[in-house]
Amino acid sequence: TFQNGFDSDSSPLSFLQNQFNERFGQFSQEVRLSSPTDSAVDFIVGGIYLNAKSNFNYLSYYNGFPVAGGLFGTVSQRTEQSEHTWAGFANVNWRIIENLTLSVGGRLSSNVKSATYTKSLVDNIGYPNNLVSLLTVPSRITEGRNSDTTLDYSATLNYNFLDTATAYVAIGRGNKSAAFNNQSALAAPSPKPFIVPKETVVTYEAGIKGRFLDGRAYASLAGFILNVSDLQDSFYDPVARAFQLRSIDARSRGIEGEAQFQIAQPISIYGNFAWLPTAKSVEDERLQRAPKFTYTLGLRGDGQIATDWGASGFINIEHAGNYLHQPASAAGDNTLEAS
């Protein structure tokens, strides 16, 4: 169970209060068969079943919100959802020659989701003819069902050029199953769209990673390409006063790295970075929450100062370049400055 309430009108007065109430439960069972790993080929095969149910109720308490003569009343947006998933999977590792391994995997999954959305007026608090009451009577009910059968896969070629380091190239395909929109603007009778399509992504990656200098140093560096179909994206529309969902095709290209070095026995320096020159929709709009450059630099200490006492701590600096916190096409100023 989950409950969260907050003041949504951004003023000292209680014009609008919102509350999220959720009840959620799930059952899953997985079985696996694994082979020994001391031969040239080893494998894992298995299956999984998942059953999940959720009941989400989004309550809005209007008490004179200053629009159209004042909004009054309590509106409920309830979404009840059930999900059934079956999947079979397998992964095979083939040591082609010494230090060279090919890993190939796949997963066939069937996912069925159904949901019912109900929008209703819980209480008009003595204002039967105000806009809230007029827009939410009678109750609005929307139903939806979605079924997906998907084949995902991955393949990775690893070469251990040192006992503690590897270089690799990889390709993979994954998905995020279809979902349901559980919120609509006040004037809308139901969420648009109600069913959010399945998101799929194909990834290409190459890199190196390992430990060096007798284990005192760790480093990794990778370049990647992501091609996304029907990215499940959301943003807040200040005009509609509601979150809006959209499905867009997108692409991302970048390089990321991480390193750590032990200066002395108790002290290490560490850092990571991500360079993301491309993170755009197919319409060439920069994706939100995707700065072009981020990094972290830090110093960490961890040691023994007495028989029964230890001390540890760290100090670090984090940086993120300018980025959009909302889509560039959304209303308002959507750029956050570098920090």
Side-chain angles (χ1 to χ4, degrees):
T1 59
F2 173 77
Q3 189 175 73
N4 179 33
F6 57 93
D7 184 353
S8 303
D9 54 50
S10 302
S11 77
L13 302 178
S14 296
F15 289 133
L16 175 60
Q17 298 280 333
N18 284 299
Q19 185 172 318
F20 295 120
N21 302 282
E22 184 175 8
R23 288 186 290 111
F24 174 83
Q26 76 173 38
F27 168 81
S28 65
Q29 179 63 55
E30 182 175 335
V31 293
R32 292 188 178 189
L33 174 64
S34 302
S35 73
T37 59
D38 55 359
S39 60
V41 177
D42 63 76
F43 65 86
I44 296 176
V45 295
I48 187 170
Y49 169 72
L50 169 71
N51 173 263
K53 293 184 178 181
S54 66
N55 187 316
F56 179 82
N57 192 10
Y58 176 41
L59 292 168
S60 299
Y61 301 93
Y62 295 92
N63 185 27
F65 191 84
V67 172
L71 305 181
F72 298 89
T74 301
V75 178
S76 167
Q77 299 183 69
R78 183 184 296 275
T79 304
E80 298 175 288
Q81 177 179 307
S82 63
E83 176 181 4
H84 300 273
T85 297
W86 295 87
F89 57 87
N91 193 87
V92 178
N93 298 314
W94 175 28
R95 281 165 281 281
I96 304 170
I97 58 174
E98 186 178 4
N99 298 332
L100 184 65
T101 302
L102 175 65
S103 299
V104 179
R107 173 187 171 109
L108 180 65
S109 58
S110 173
N111 180 272
V112 178
K113 289 182 178 180
S114 59
T116 300
Y117 168 89
T118 305
K119 188 174 189 177
S120 60
L121 180 69
V122 178
D123 186 2
N124 63 25
I125 63 171
Y127 294 85
N129 296 317
N130 85 101
L131 191 61
V132 172
S133 299
L134 297 176
L135 290 175
T136 52
V137 177
S139 297
R140 312 299 181 120
I141 299 177
T142 302
E143 296 181 327
R145 184 180 185 276
N146 188 83
S147 178
D148 290 321
T149 299
T150 306
L151 177 62
D152 294 325
Y153 58 82
S154 65
T156 304
L157 186 64
N158 287 286
Y159 176 65
N160 295 328
F161 59 92
L162 295 175
D163 289 340
T164 58
T166 184
Y168 67 93
V169 291
I171 181 174
R173 180 189 187 275
N175 82 90
K176 183 190 295 182
S177 65
F180 297 96
N181 189 354
N182 58 16
Q183 186 184 153
S184 68
L186 177 62
S190 62
K192 301 292 183 183
F194 183 48
I195 298 178
V196 183
K198 176 181 66 178
E199 174 186 320
T200 59
V201 58
V202 177
T203 69
Y204 306 89
E205 184 176 342
I208 59 172
K209 56 185 175 182
R211 293 194 173 276
F212 310 94
L213 301 177
D214 296 323
R216 293 177 60 197
Y218 167 81
S220 68
L221 182 67
F224 59 88
I225 297 173
L226 305 179
N227 295 323
V228 188
S229 298
D230 291 325
L231 172 68
Q232 296 175 0
D233 191 33
S234 67
F235 63 95
Y236 185 76
D237 187 337
V239 177
R241 295 185 178 86
F243 282 94
Q244 304 292 307
L245 300 187
R246 61 178 185 170
S247 296
I248 57 174
D249 293 340
R251 59 188 184 276
S252 179
R253 314 281 188 267
I255 298 174
E256 58 186 9
E258 180 183 7
Q260 180 175 311
F261 178 69
Q262 188 178 58
I263 301 173
Q265 181 59 38
I267 301 175
S268 298
I269 57 174
Y270 63 91
N272 57 65
F273 78 92
W275 180 51
L276 203 63
T278 300
K280 299 180 179 180
S281 68
V282 292
E283 285 79 20
D284 212 34
E285 180 180 87
R286 184 78 185 184
L287 296 179
Q288 61 196 40
R289 299 182 294 275
K292 287 187 176 182
F293 188 70
T294 60
Y295 70 82
T296 300
L297 291 174
L299 184 71
R300 179 186 294 115
D302 188 357
Q304 202 78 15
I305 58 176
T307 304
D308 298 323
W309 291 86
S312 63
F314 70 93
I315 182 171
N316 67 266
I317 180 173
E318 299 180 4
H319 169 83
N322 294 355
Y323 66 96
L324 297 166
H325 68 93
Q326 297 268 69
S329 56
D333 181 5
N334 300 315
T335 301
L336 289 182
E337 298 298 324
S339 60

